[in-house]
Amino acid sequence: MVFTRGVRYMLLSTLCFALMNVCVKLLPHLPAMEIILFRSLISVGLSYLTLRALRIRPWGTNHFFLIARGTTGALALMLYFGTLQRMPLATAVTLQYLAPIFTAIIGIFVVKEAVKPWQWLFFLLSFAGVLWAEGVDTRVEPLWLGLGVLSAVFSGFSYNSIRRLKGKEHPLVVVFYFPMVALPIAGVYCLFNWTAPHGWDWLWLLLTGVFTQGAQVYMTKAYQAEQLSKVANWNYLGILYALGFGLAFFGEAFPPGAYAGMGLVLAGVLLNAWYLAQHARRAPLPVPEPDAIPATPPLER
């Protein structure tokens, strides 16, 4: 199987997000909004310094979709962190994995990218694998269940904003707007709810920001390089990273059903990639328009 540029970017993005989650898991004693504050500060600093070095104007020109990306991304992150503190981890993570499906649905209307019927089956197969691997606690309060779904919806809008900015803004400009929105909100919260980090906390906070920056940059490049339905479902491989890192770093054991669920996730992702490759191979080559064929220059006399 040939991994396209967008798929390679998404694989790197999911790996960085998984490493970020490992760092966050090592900071259970710090408030979630405080972690958001530090990762936003680091992301803003790295983005701004890089843009200045590249002599790129950090504020961009397509302000509507840049602000939409920052706002919906920040709302999705805050709702997700809120659900993490109010419901079982597996349930919160499972709800967040609705985001690729919402991304594809919203993309039909926002960026006018159609999703082929078989692709919906592959999306659902991967999501079923997540359900099988993670499980769902049915005792969750309806309010937090709804907020978890809303977080995935906001993620879908955020990714579509990234796609709309394809070829219009540098990926780092797009990344820059996300922490610019989250930073003041997290800052106000931390003024009244502050827990001082100690010792190794500073290293994990620094790495959280660095891995976040890498994940956001690669994700932005992925959504700008390929159609949404072609790369969005590669997000599901994050469950493989999560289970693998949980075993390697925290000694977390998983029942046999978790591995069966990972198999379903992988099957859905690979089937979608195979189907799109086969469809592209069978598609006829575009025929140039008559007026697009250059006229033969007259012979010189």
Side-chain angles (χ1 to χ4, degrees):
M1 179 186 299
V2 178
F3 292 103
T4 62
R5 186 161 51 97
V7 170
R8 292 196 299 270
Y9 285 144
M10 187 57 76
L11 289 173
L12 288 171
S13 174
T14 54
L15 175 60
C16 288
F17 273 126
L19 290 169
M20 179 206 74
N21 288 334
V22 170
C23 296
V24 172
K25 192 173 176 64
L26 293 168
L27 297 165
H29 49 286
L30 295 183
M33 291 297 285
E34 191 169 324
I35 298 173
I36 293 176
L37 174 69
F38 277 100
R39 59 174 266 175
S40 298
L41 280 169
I42 294 169
S43 184
V44 166
L46 290 174
S47 297
Y48 183 78
L49 291 175
T50 307
L51 288 168
R52 291 284 293 181
L54 295 173
R55 297 185 178 181
I56 298 173
R57 186 171 179 267
W59 306 110
T61 55
N62 297 269
H63 297 124
F64 176 82
F65 282 105
L66 285 169
I67 294 173
R69 155 58 179 152
T71 303
T72 54
L75 288 172
L77 178 65
M78 291 172 187
L79 286 173
Y80 175 54
F81 272 53
T83 59
L84 282 176
Q85 295 180 327
R86 295 296 194 283
M87 65 173 63
L89 175 64
T91 305
V93 171
T94 299
L95 289 174
Q96 191 59 30
Y97 275 113
L98 287 169
I101 298 175
F102 285 125
T103 300
I105 294 172
I106 296 168
I108 297 173
F109 306 99
V110 175
V111 295
K112 312 300 181 185
E113 291 182 356
V115 181
K116 297 174 177 60
W118 277 101
Q119 287 184 270
W120 293 117
L121 177 62
F122 303 143
F123 271 104
L124 292 175
L125 183 63
S126 290
F127 184 68
V130 173
L131 287 175
W132 196 342
E134 293 278 11
V136 175
D137 192 331
T138 56
R139 296 168 297 176
V140 174
E141 294 182 22
L143 172 63
W144 291 106
L145 183 66
L147 291 177
V149 173
L150 187 60
S151 172
V153 172
F154 278 131
S155 293
F157 277 110
S158 182
Y159 301 153
N160 273 270
S161 297
I162 293 173
R163 182 65 177 164
R164 281 296 298 263
L165 293 166
K166 173 190 175 184
K168 300 175 182 177
E169 299 289 355
H170 190 280
L172 276 172
V173 174
V174 181
V175 171
F176 182 64
Y177 269 77
F178 182 9
M180 282 296 292
V181 175
L183 185 58
I185 300 174
V188 170
Y189 176 89
C190 289
L191 284 175
F192 304 97
N193 300 274
W194 177 256
T195 300
H198 296 285
W200 287 99
D201 293 350
W202 295 104
L203 175 63
W204 306 134
L205 286 169
L206 174 63
L207 290 177
T208 296
V210 171
F211 286 132
T212 296
Q213 181 73 356
Q216 292 291 339
V217 169
Y218 285 126
M219 182 186 67
T220 301
K221 289 184 174 182
Y223 281 124
Q224 291 190 343
E226 308 277 358
Q227 286 189 343
L228 294 172
S229 62
K230 190 172 182 178
V231 295
N233 71 323
W234 287 90
N235 271 307
Y236 286 117
L237 292 188
I239 187 67
L240 276 69
Y241 291 133
L243 294 176
F245 287 150
L247 178 63
F249 293 108
F250 305 106
E252 297 175 348
F254 305 99
Y259 299 100
M262 285 191 289
L264 281 180
V265 169
L266 190 60
V269 171
L270 294 179
L271 282 171
N272 186 61
W274 172 82
Y275 174 75
L276 290 174
Q278 293 297 313
H279 190 273
R281 192 173 294 119
R282 291 194 300 265
L285 293 174
V287 178
E289 297 291 335
D291 58 354
I293 301 175
T296 303
L299 296 175
E300 294 184 359
R301 297 185 180 180

